[in-house]
Amino acid sequence: IHPHKNGFTLRRVQSFVTKYSATHGKSHLTRHVDGPQVHASMILQLHSPKGFAGGGITVWDSEQQEHFYQLRAGELCLLDHMVWHQSNQVTSGERWVLVVFCQQVATAIANCHLSNAPCPISQMTCQDAISIATLAADQHFQVEKSVVFGLMKMLEFGGPEERERAAFALGCVAANCSENRELMMECGAAQLMIDLLHRMLAVGSMKPATHECAWIVAALGRLASKSTSNKSIIAREGVINLVAELVRSGNALEREEAISTLCNLSANHESNKDAIV
């Protein structure tokens, strides 16, 4: 997945066989990412007795450049959960593939950050952010304040990949646990992300080539979910106009997350609804 990083262990959480054919609605799978509850996916091309034309996999890198892989029988494609990909259209015959969804087994480094033991936030890495995002899929998972501050520091001062991972992890931390959302608001995570969003979308500025902007918007939307006070606080900072601008001019992922965030901000909040309209 990341050949320049240390290895880690994956565990299988789901596997299934998929058949693609030239039939309408069954010929391909459109561009997507697998999401926070799947850390990696494996796609194994199976022997297809009837043969097929078309097919293969297209993958987009961090600069949105396309890479096509035909995949012959027995070949395996291993994908990170943040990588955009699609199964291409089968024009004739039948294509059979085995898909395996995996989650990462928490590493000792991640456990250090998630315990009460002192662990300097400056040591947090992309691998730690991935572990935190994976663990946060459990609705009962609560983070320590040091974890939130570590992700905030990575988001503000890290390199492009570190900022992207930190933004994604913060969104995952906020997604399923109200205690985590309260802690993030207390630590100032919302204000930091709002300030960064203002900076990215300022007139004449250049957005990062990564998905950092989309994941920040997603994290703000999750912070606003199920909390009237959070909706009000976030909206007061001009977020609605920024998010609406992404709906108009962002890339596909940014538009998708922006629409979701506007829904979260407006749900059961009349003044935010009026502002969005």
Side-chain angles (χ1 to χ4, degrees), residues 36-101:
Q37 297 192 43
V38 176
H39 178 249
S41 58
M42 303 179 189
I43 305 168
L44 174 65
Q45 179 63 53
L46 301 175
H47 172 63
S48 301
K50 295 184 178 180
F52 64 90
I57 296 172
T58 298
V59 175
W60 284 263
D61 62 25
S62 60
E63 297 179 352
Q64 295 302 300
Q65 297 295 313
E66 295 184 11
H67 302 272
F68 172 73
Y69 303 96
Q70 181 58 53
L71 289 189
R72 296 169 295 184
E75 291 185 332
L76 177 74
C77 180
L78 177 61
L79 294 170
D80 181 279
H81 66 163
M82 294 178 68
V83 172
W84 285 90
H85 59 283
Q86 72 178 26
S87 289
N88 297 321
Q89 185 174 16
V90 170
T91 56
S92 66
E94 294 178 350
R95 177 185 176 223
W96 293 80
V97 296
L98 172 66
V99 179
V100 181
F101 289 151

Side-chain angles (χ1 to χ4, degrees), residues 116-132:
N116 291 320
C119 191
I121 59 176
S122 60
Q123 293 180 7
M124 190 170 282
T125 66
C126 286
Q127 194 58 56
D128 293 335
I130 292 170
S131 295
I132 293 164

Side-chain angles (χ1 to χ4, degrees), residues 190-205:
Q191 189 61 58
L192 171 63
M193 291 187 287
I194 291 168
D195 291 343
L196 292 174
L197 197 59
H198 274 288
R199 195 182 309 166
M200 291 177 195
L201 300 182
V203 176
S205 66

Side-chain angles (χ1 to χ4, degrees), residues 173-221:
V173 167
N176 295 320
C177 182
S178 60
E179 290 81 4
N180 288 345
R181 291 191 286 271
E182 291 175 8
L183 180 62
M184 288 174 65
M185 296 297 291
E186 176 188 333
C187 293
Q191 189 61 58
L192 171 63
M193 291 187 287
I194 291 168
D195 291 343
L196 292 174
L197 197 59
H198 274 288
R199 195 182 309 166
M200 291 177 195
L201 300 182
V203 176
S205 66
M206 182 173 294
K207 286 190 301 182
T210 65
H211 296 312
E212 175 188 350
C213 188
W215 298 138
I216 286 177
V217 169
L220 289 171

